[in-house]
Amino acid sequence: MNAPSVQSELARQHVIDPEICIRCNTCEEMCPVKAISHDARNYVVNFEICSWCNACIGPCPTGAIDNIRNVRKDQPYSLADQLGWDVLPGFTEYDNMAVGSATTEVPDEVQRITDVATAGQGGQALAPWSASHPYVNLYGPNNPVTATVSGNYRLTAEGASSAIHHVVLDFGTTPFPVLEGQSIGIIPPGTDANGKPHLLRMYSVASPREGERPGYNNLALTVKRVTEDHDGKPSMGVCSNYVCDLKKGDQVQVTGPYGTTFLMPNHPGASIMMICTGTGSAPMRAMTERRRRRMNQKEGGELMLFFGARTREELPYLGPLQQLPKDFIDINFAFSRTPDQPKQYVQDLIRARADKVAAMLADDNCFIYICGLKGMETGVLEAFSDICRARGMDWETLRPALLKKARFHVETY
Ligand code: FAD
Ligand code: A2P
């Protein structure tokens, strides 16, 4: 196969693992568009017909149905190919590529928000080669899933200048699979000034893939109550205030999940450098918690965190972070408004740890994630640039190389 010139020539193909399938016929019965059929040997999915409604995924008793391969749109696996399989075909170079223009996969409003949020990485990112495959856009604005609030507590001290909440949403029996680094959409109730339903807002998932409480179909968010706009003028954010005011038992309209690239590497030995401010800590908490829960598996790979907040009292998850073993994660807190202390930003600490940062930038096994205030991007990129220059490395050459190797991920808002 010739490599496609652009990723929009690729498509995802839903396939069934013949080694695991128990031929129970459930998927064929569930499929509303009759994309699934079988012969005496295999169950197969018709690429031309499958509409990605995922009605077959949840009921499958073995998970055989839950497989995807990236293929050229003009060369999908045919029904005859699939009927002949004893095992699934292996992954190809295409499986490491983001598929299509995401506009075809997620609502336009999500694509617009995402383009702005990821602009700082300087190009289209790929997911790390060892990332798990994400589900995207299972529920849209026209078919949101209803989640129930199972907890909402304030993370920042009462009286602190910002209120950040940890909110847990439960999806009951509705499948809502997420990976660390993905986001969800929340549709606030009511209408905007023009009488139109509010647009969704995106929030990063703050819990690991197996749930805030392992084995429960739930997830956590880290949401800051917006009370002023970016220029400091009073402005009550529609969705953030709605979410921060939610009570246990309230129901919320959720879309998503979203995000195919800001995903953590899964292979043993992979290191992760995380740089965040405020609620940008949400995906970092998810990744750290994933690693913490698997700590005894000794998968290795370093974790390094640069985390900026106004004061200690305004740093979400300070207590749990401080309890993590030093040899598990290298934590660097930057506080900008501690009385009688010089203002510190994450980029100041990145410079202070220049030797280690340079080593991690140069390490092909290290993946870098930046999330939080848009304003932080410039300072962090300048710090990287200076650190590289002082060591004979060129950041302008390194950044595209990192991007190509799926090692550099930015999500700022
Ligand atoms: P709006 O009613 O939309 O806006 C009110 C005013 O506040 C406007 O003037 C607007 O410009 C300004 N404003 C908007 N956002 C902010 C902000 N963050 N700080 C200050 N002023 C603002 N937010 C979280 O709290 N936690 C998350 O984990 C999170 N993850 C996100 C992930 C992605 C990929 C993106 C793109 C955004 C994320 N956000 C997150 C931001 C979130 O989507 C909303 O933009 C934010 O909650 C404000 O929405 P709102 O409806 O309350 O404010
Ligand atoms: P500051 O005290 O200057 O606002 P917030 O609480 O508004 O979400 O911000 C989180 C942290 O990010 C705060 O410490 C804030 O400092 C800091 N911050 C603001 N602007 C930048 C920037 N350009 N680069 C890095 N950090 C920043």
Side-chain angles (χ1 to χ4, degrees):
M1 287 194 279
N2 293 326
S5 55
V6 287
Q7 288 165 0
S8 59
E9 289 175 28
L10 297 180
R12 297 191 309 158
Q13 180 166 13
H14 190 176
V15 290
I16 298 175
D17 187 339
E19 283 188 293
I20 303 177
C21 176
I22 55 171
R23 280 79 177 163
C24 64
N25 205 51
T26 311
C27 55
E28 194 169 321
E29 286 164 23
M30 296 305 298
C31 180
V33 292
K34 305 213 177 309
I36 300 179
S37 58
H38 69 280
D39 67 1
R41 179 180 161 118
N42 279 348
Y43 276 73
V44 294
V45 186
N46 190 320
F47 174 80
E48 310 295 339
I49 300 177
C50 174
S51 61
W52 290 96
C53 71
N54 289 310
C56 56
I57 302 280
C60 171
T62 64
I65 191 78
D66 189 8
N67 283 283
I68 292 172
R69 290 293 182 272
N70 288 354
V71 293
R72 283 186 64 125
K73 277 180 186 161
D74 57 354
Q75 293 175 2
Y77 293 111
S78 67
L79 293 179
D81 290 338
Q82 298 175 57
L83 289 168
W85 288 345
D86 292 320
V87 295
L88 277 181
F91 290 106
T92 67
E93 59 185 307
Y94 301 151
D95 291 293
N96 277 337
M97 296 181 179
V99 168
S101 73
T103 317
T104 58
E105 298 210 352
V106 297
D108 285 351
E109 60 188 288
V110 172
Q111 187 58 38
R112 271 197 303 277
I113 298 171
T114 309
D115 285 346
V116 175
T118 58
Q121 67 203 4
Q124 193 188 5
L126 306 173
W129 65 267
S130 60
S132 299
H133 92 72
Y135 284 96
V136 186
N137 203 28
L138 298 180
Y139 307 93
N142 298 326
N143 65 330
V145 57
T146 302
T148 306
V149 177
S150 50
N152 179 356
Y153 69 89
R154 183 172 161 147
L155 293 166
T156 48
E158 287 298 335
S161 61
S162 66
I164 300 181
H165 286 240
H166 184 75
V167 180
V168 181
L169 299 180
D170 191 288
F171 292 86
T173 54
T174 310
F176 199 89
V178 290
L179 291 173
E180 306 80 11
Q182 285 194 289
S183 306
I184 65 166
I186 291 194
I187 309 176
T191 50
D192 63 18
N194 299 320
K196 295 208 171 126
H198 286 300
L199 293 177
L200 64 83
R201 285 4 178 227
M202 291 173 73
Y203 294 94
S204 308
V205 175
S207 47
R209 63 191 74 182
E210 70 277 5
E212 173 69 359
R213 181 167 178 187
Y216 281 64
N217 189 18
N218 65 9
L219 58 77
L221 304 175
T222 315
V223 180
K224 177 179 157 179
R225 188 187 286 282
V226 170
T227 54
E228 49 187 41
D229 66 16
H230 291 291
D231 300 323
K233 291 203 211 84
S235 173
M236 291 301 276
V238 172
C239 194
S240 59
N241 282 275
Y242 162 68
V243 174
C244 289
D245 286 338
L246 286 169
K247 306 269 177 304
K248 194 172 171 186
D250 284 348
Q251 298 203 315
V252 186
Q253 299 303 298
V254 177
T255 68
Y258 301 118
T260 54
T261 61
F262 198 104
L263 303 175
M264 65 188 290
N266 281 321
H267 61 283
S271 295
I272 303 179
M273 189 198 298
M274 300 173 276
I275 301 161
C276 64
T277 57
T279 55
S281 55
M284 314 315 187
R285 180 190 184 260
M287 293 185 195
T288 305
E289 194 55 13
R290 166 83 178 160
R291 283 285 188 96
R292 188 190 67 79
R293 291 182 189 177
R294 295 166 65 82
M295 214 190 293
N296 59 6
Q297 308 218 358
K298 307 235 178 299
E299 289 170 338
E302 288 186 77
L303 292 184
M304 189 177 202
L305 173 67
F306 294 94
F307 192 164
R310 298 176 188 183
T311 62
R312 300 182 81 77
E313 293 71 33
E314 307 209 24
L315 190 125
Y317 311 115
L318 178 73
L321 278 171
Q322 283 179 323
Q323 284 166 22
L324 295 171
K326 300 254 174 307
D327 60 354
F328 168 71
I329 183 167
D330 178 346
I331 300 181
N332 303 265
F333 292 130
F335 297 114
S336 56
R337 301 190 198 178
T338 307
D340 305 324
Q341 295 288 321
K343 197 177 183 78
Q344 269 198 326
Y345 278 172
V346 281
Q347 52 267 39
D348 300 322
L349 297 190
I350 290 172
R351 287 176 203 278
R353 302 294 310 278
D355 284 341
K356 179 146 182 198
V357 169
M360 289 181 94
L361 287 175
D363 175 5
D364 262 352
N365 235 354
C366 174
F367 297 76
I368 298 142
Y369 300 84
I370 302 174
C371 188
L373 282 181
K374 205 154 231 347
M376 147 185 71
E377 270 170 25
T378 315
V380 169
L381 298 187
E382 277 172 9
F384 281 161
S385 179
D386 291 346
I387 288 170
C388 286
R389 196 174 320 110
R391 285 159 183 77
M393 296 151 67
D394 176 22
W395 173 244
E396 291 314 317
T397 317
L398 184 59
R399 178 157 69 157
L402 292 178
L403 207 56
K404 204 165 165 200
K405 293 175 186 162
R407 291 183 49 214
F408 186 61
H409 303 270
V410 177
E411 204 165 81
T412 51
Y413 43 86

